[in-house]
Every structure is written in C-alpha cells, then in structure tokens.
Amino acid sequence: MTEANPHRGEPSRDSQSSMRGDFLALSAVALVVVILHVVTNGRYGFHRDELQVLDDARHMDWGFVAYPPVTPFIERIGLALFGTSLVGLRMFSVLAQAIALIVTGLMARELGAKCLAQVVAALAVAVSPFPLFEGTEFQYSSFDYLWCVLIAYCLIRLLNSENPRWWLGIGAGIGLGMMTKYTMGFFVAGIVAGTLCTPVRRYLKSPWLWGGAALALLIFLPNLIWQVQHDFISLHFLRYIHARDVRQGRANGFIRHQFTICTNPFVAWLWIAGFWYFFGSPERKRYKLLAWLYLTEFALFFFANGRGYYLAPAYPMLFAGGSVWWQGWLGSLSTRWSRAAKRVTFAAVAVGGILACAFIVPINPAISADNFVLRNNGDVREEIGWTDLVAAVAKVRDSLSAEERGNYGIVVGNYGETGAIDLLGPAYGLPETISSTNSAWFRGYSNPPPKTLIVVGLSREYVEKTFQSCRLAGHNGNPYGIKNEESEDHPDIFVCEPPREPWPQFWDDFQSFG
C-alpha cells in the first residue's frame, strides 16, 4: 500500500493561472541573472579551461582525455553561432544556470511551496557562489549542475505522482550527465542508495526503472566505447588530477566549502532546513530518498578527498525542501512576526548576493591590479593575458629568419597556451600548436616535423635539456601587473632546434596531463 500524495486534489495549486504566475515569477529571477551575466561576461578574456574546451570543440570526438564530449559539442555550436564572442560562447552556460534556478523553484512548487517560497528557493541558488561563477564561464560543471537539478526534479515528480515513467526522465538525465562529467556517477550512487534504503525499492520490479537505466547506458555508450578504444585514459587522467589536487591542498576544507562555495553562507540555513524536511520530518517520509542521495554523495566525496565544489549540484533540491519548511514556519507565526521574518530572509539573500557578486562577477570593467575581483579571485585572474601571449608568440615568429620561418612549429606546455594560440593565432598567421597536453597529444606533430621551434610554457631547465641550440627570444605576461599562472610560472619564450631525441621518442616522453 502506497502513501497518499498530499498534493493531489488541490485545484488551486494545479490551476493554470497559478502555474503561470509561479513560472513568471521564477522567470523574472532568472532574467535578472541572465542580464547580469550578459552585461559583464565580455569584460576580460577566456579562462584557460574555456580555451581547452574550445580547442577540443574544433577537433570533435566521442571522448576527450579530460572530460566527455557534451561540453565541447555545445561550444562547437557556440563557435558556429557566435565566433569568438565571450558573451556569445558563455551564453549556453548562462542559460543552464537560469534554467537550473527555475527548475529549483518548480521543485519547491511540486513539494507544496507557494509562489513566494518558490522565489526564495530560486534566489538561494542565484546567490550561491558556485552557480553564480558557472554563469561567468563555460565549463563541464556548468552543464553537470543543470542535469543534476533536472534529475532531482524528475525524482520528486516520481515520488509525488508514483508514475514509474519518470524513471525514463531520470535515465535521460543520467546519460547526459555521464556524457558531461564523470562525477555524475556519484550522483547515481546517491540515487541507488536512496532507492535501496526507502520504499522506493519497490520500483526495482518495474520495467520503467530498468528502461531508464537502459536509456542512460544507451546515451553514454558512444563515450564508453571511446574509453575502451583508448584504454580508459580518462581514468588515468582523473587519478593523476586527484593525486595532484590532494598534494596541492585543493581538496582541503571540504566541509567549509559546502557553506562558502556550493552555497552562500547567508542562505545556508535554508538547505539545512531542506535536509531536515526530507530526512527528519516524519510526515514527509516519501522524500527520504533525496536525503539519502545527499548523504551518500557527501560521504563519498568526503572520504575520497573530493574537492568541495563537487557536491554543489545536490543543493538546489535541498533549497526547494527548505523553502517549504520556511513557508510552514512563517504560517506558524503571527502576522507581525511573519512579516519581520520575510524581511530578514530577503535581507540575508540581498547581502549574500552582493558579497558573492563582489568576489565572482567582473562588475568593474577596468583591468588593473586594483580591481577587487581580480585581486581576490584566482579564476578570474586566469582570464588575463591570453591575447598578449599570442601577440608575443607572433612577434617572436616575425623575428625569425626567412629560412627559419619556412619550417617552424610552436611547442607549448599547457592546455591554456594550446587553446589560446589555436583559437587566436590564425589572425596572426600562426599554425596550430604542437601540444602534448590531454587530448592534444593524440593530434601529434606535422610530417615532416618542423626544424625550428618556438617553445612556450616550459622552464629554461627543461628546454635546454630537451631541445638543441635554444635561445631566449621573448617574454609572456600582461601589461596590467596581474599575477597569474602564465605571467608567474611561464614567462619565457624560446627559439630552439629540434629535440635531442628522435621525434617519436620525444613525443612518447612528452605526453602530459592537466
């Protein structure tokens, strides 16, 4: 015998006018977020991670070393529509975050929240640092966030309607997620744990659940085949990156980051209330699967030394549950205290939003060492200097003799340099780079190999040990005094003769991750 749905038979909540009003209110919140990003997203430059995605987008395949193919595919479309426009290429990520906050509000509605509480849930997502940052750049985590929110919505619809067909939507979301970011596997582990630990396990006998699993596998199959063909190289990459992150301390502060990165500390009480709503409230036991989903993911990432932001996609569903708790709490107060509580809530959202924007959004268009966001946000600093790098490489090329220019190549040390020169270099007549980083290694080098090499992003010690007759020919940096990885760690540009080892042997040794 199944638990009765408390939301059935409520015509006011199911009326078209109510749904239209709720959707318009949520869309208004989303529109503000979109406008904020559209106005500010063109101010600096591409992030090094964006440059890698764009480079892979021009060499499409069913898989890449660093990630599955969905994000490069989306940006391949972006390149066709917008060229190298920062605002245009980042629009897909902006829309992903806007849809995610609308769906968060719809989750709250499905749980019983009225319009105001739905807006509170959506605003909690809007002011949280992680989704706010994801609207400023396009990365695989931008779209992974959306798929997880859509899966959570499908789970809530499944739990409320008891219609097993929602497993198909869940399966489609999982398939798209696995084609976007492999951490979707942790979200799936949470769903499995929640299913096994709650009465939802009765669906294990349902063909719709297994149909959803088959659909997920079918969507993911092309990348799985690619991984088999490439000896599961992404697993090697992920092990390397994880070990590097742990070694460099990037996995430290996991619990703190749940309050400062995944969510905004000024609205943290809302997701905590949402967890209680799903797990500890006896009258809401039908939603306990969602609590187990969160707990399982939290435990897996915590004990595996995962980075703090990996858990961010799990919070919108908690915000949705917390908004229903907030609505019920307001109803228990007198009119006077209820109004005061609303004011305090929206004041907290406003203060949290302003602070988050100050540290994340490039409000100030001036590029200088005094710019607040550039001083305090290392990711934004990584957007500075790429056009200067390409111009510096072109200047070195122009300094070569006619004989050297007749057969030269550009060897680079990291994926940011690969993407920047490959994307912006054609305007200077530069060739594609010779890069061993991630999937660029598969593209190899020209045949015959170049006789003169412009070498960027490698230390003097490595260059002199690896190549013949090297000379310092230029410098990489930016004119703004912004300190970032390129200006600090890779300032020198060399001109060299071919490697000391034969090219095939050099190439085998040159492969690198990250």
Side-chain angles (χ1 to χ4, degrees):
M1 184 173 179
T2 59
E3 180 186 358
N5 186 342
H7 303 309
R8 291 174 182 166
E10 297 183 16
S12 62
R13 294 211 49 76
D14 293 333
S15 67
Q16 290 186 356
S17 61
S18 175
M19 291 181 65
R20 189 181 304 115
D22 294 348
F23 186 78
L24 288 175
L26 295 171
S27 297
V29 177
L31 181 61
V32 171
V33 171
V34 170
I35 292 173
L36 173 67
H37 288 307
V38 168
V39 169
T40 59
N41 267 354
R43 289 192 165 162
Y44 303 152
F46 290 108
H47 187 277
R48 65 172 59 251
D49 291 350
E50 293 177 300
L51 290 168
Q52 175 174 235
V53 172
L54 289 173
D55 196 60
D56 288 333
R58 295 192 300 279
H59 301 87
M60 281 305 303
D61 202 344
W62 282 113
F64 300 93
V65 171
Y67 37 59
V70 160
T71 306
F73 174 72
I74 291 173
E75 291 311 317
R76 178 67 174 262
I77 297 172
L79 282 169
L81 293 176
F82 306 113
T84 58
S85 165
L86 280 165
V87 174
L89 289 170
R90 289 169 172 170
M91 184 57 66
F92 292 108
S93 183
V94 172
L95 293 176
Q97 305 317 305
I99 294 170
L101 70 87
I102 289 175
V103 175
T104 300
L106 295 179
M107 281 194 284
R109 176 188 169 88
E110 187 67 20
L111 293 168
K114 295 181 181 178
C115 185
L116 185 64
Q118 295 173 39
V119 169
V120 167
L123 286 172
V125 172
V127 303
S128 292
F130 181 83
L132 185 64
F133 173 76
E134 291 305 315
T136 68
E137 297 180 0
F138 58 84
Q139 300 188 33
Y140 51 35
S141 47
S142 304
F143 307 105
D144 171 69
Y145 193 87
L146 175 60
W147 306 140
C148 289
V149 172
L150 289 171
I151 292 169
Y153 175 76
C154 290
L155 283 169
I156 292 173
R157 291 301 304 269
L158 169 72
L159 297 173
N160 270 350
S161 68
E162 299 179 357
N163 184 343
R165 289 177 175 84
W166 281 104
W167 283 112
L168 295 180
I170 295 166
I174 291 171
L176 287 170
M178 289 297 294
M179 290 290 276
T180 304
K181 190 170 184 279
Y182 296 120
T183 50
M184 175 58 69
F186 291 85
F187 201 81
V188 173
I191 295 173
V192 171
T195 299
L196 295 177
C197 293
T198 66
V200 178
R201 58 182 170 270
R202 67 182 181 275
Y203 287 111
L204 292 172
K205 300 178 180 179
S206 170
W208 293 103
L209 183 150
W210 298 106
L215 179 59
L217 179 60
L218 180 64
I219 294 172
F220 177 56
L221 188 59
N223 182 249
L224 180 60
I225 293 173
W226 185 92
Q227 291 291 346
V228 171
Q229 293 172 338
H230 292 80
D231 298 321
F232 291 94
I233 191 169
S234 293
L235 293 180
H236 301 295
F237 169 83
L238 292 172
R239 279 198 293 265
Y240 170 84
I241 293 298
H242 178 67
R244 181 204 66 184
D245 289 346
V246 173
R247 183 175 64 252
Q248 296 179 354
R250 297 184 181 186
N252 295 345
F254 180 85
I255 294 177
R256 182 179 72 254
H257 290 162
Q258 307 315 303
F259 296 88
T260 59
I261 295 178
C262 296
T263 64
N264 194 305
F266 285 84
V267 296
W269 58 270
L270 192 65
W271 71 258
I272 294 171
F275 179 77
W276 166 252
Y277 178 83
F278 291 141
F279 195 78
S281 180
E283 64 272 18
R284 298 295 179 181
K285 61 182 180 180
R286 70 165 52 243
Y287 303 120
K288 192 165 287 191
L289 178 149
L290 303 175
W292 279 111
L293 191 166
Y294 174 80
L295 275 178
T296 301
E297 262 207 298
F298 182 95
L300 290 173
F301 284 132
F302 179 80
F303 289 109
N305 285 319
R307 296 185 67 174
Y309 72 86
Y310 289 174
L311 193 56
Y315 286 97
M317 66 183 185
L318 299 185
F319 282 136
S323 71
V324 182
W325 174 90
W326 177 79
Q327 176 180 273
W329 175 63
L330 291 180
S332 68
L333 302 176
S334 66
T335 301
R336 177 184 176 185
W337 284 106
S338 177
R339 289 174 180 170
K342 291 176 185 177
R343 293 191 188 101
V344 171
T345 298
F346 284 100
V349 169
V351 172
I354 291 170
L355 289 174
C357 287
F359 282 92
I360 294 171
V361 180
I363 302 295
N364 183 355
I367 303 176
S368 73
D370 295 328
N371 185 315
F372 182 84
V373 72
L374 287 171
R375 284 204 320 268
N376 293 280
N377 190 320
D379 279 304
V380 179
R381 288 196 296 274
E382 292 302 323
E383 298 178 4
I384 307 300
W386 297 110
T387 55
D388 302 292
L389 165 65
V390 178
V393 171
K395 185 177 179 180
V396 170
R397 185 273 317 271
D398 293 340
S399 72
L400 300 177
S401 68
E403 181 181 356
E404 289 174 325
R405 285 199 302 271
N407 186 11
Y408 80 97
I410 303 171
V411 175
V412 298
N414 65 56
Y415 60 74
E417 295 152 354
T418 303
I421 295 172
D422 287 356
L423 180 69
L424 306 174
Y428 294 86
L430 296 175
E432 281 201 348
T433 57
I434 299 172
S435 173
S436 69
T437 307
N438 300 343
S439 292
W441 184 81
F442 292 119
R443 299 198 286 271
Y445 49 87
S446 62
N447 187 19
K451 294 182 178 180
T452 300
L453 302 174
I454 300 174
V455 183
V456 183
L458 297 169
S459 69
R460 178 187 290 269
E461 179 184 7
Y462 177 85
V463 167
E464 292 178 347
K465 180 179 67 175
T466 305
F467 303 100
Q468 304 177 58
S469 303
C470 292
R471 68 179 187 270
L472 181 64
H475 294 283
N476 172 24
N478 62 80
Y480 312 105
I482 303 299
K483 295 182 178 181
N484 56 23
E485 182 175 334
E486 287 302 305
S487 65
E488 293 283 285
D489 300 337
H490 313 297
D492 297 329
I493 303 175
F494 301 90
V495 172
C496 303
E497 293 182 5
R500 298 181 184 277
E501 300 175 333
W503 271 94
Q505 185 176 346
F506 158 74
W507 197 246
D508 286 340
D509 296 338
F510 193 45
Q511 183 179 17
S512 63
F513 286 146

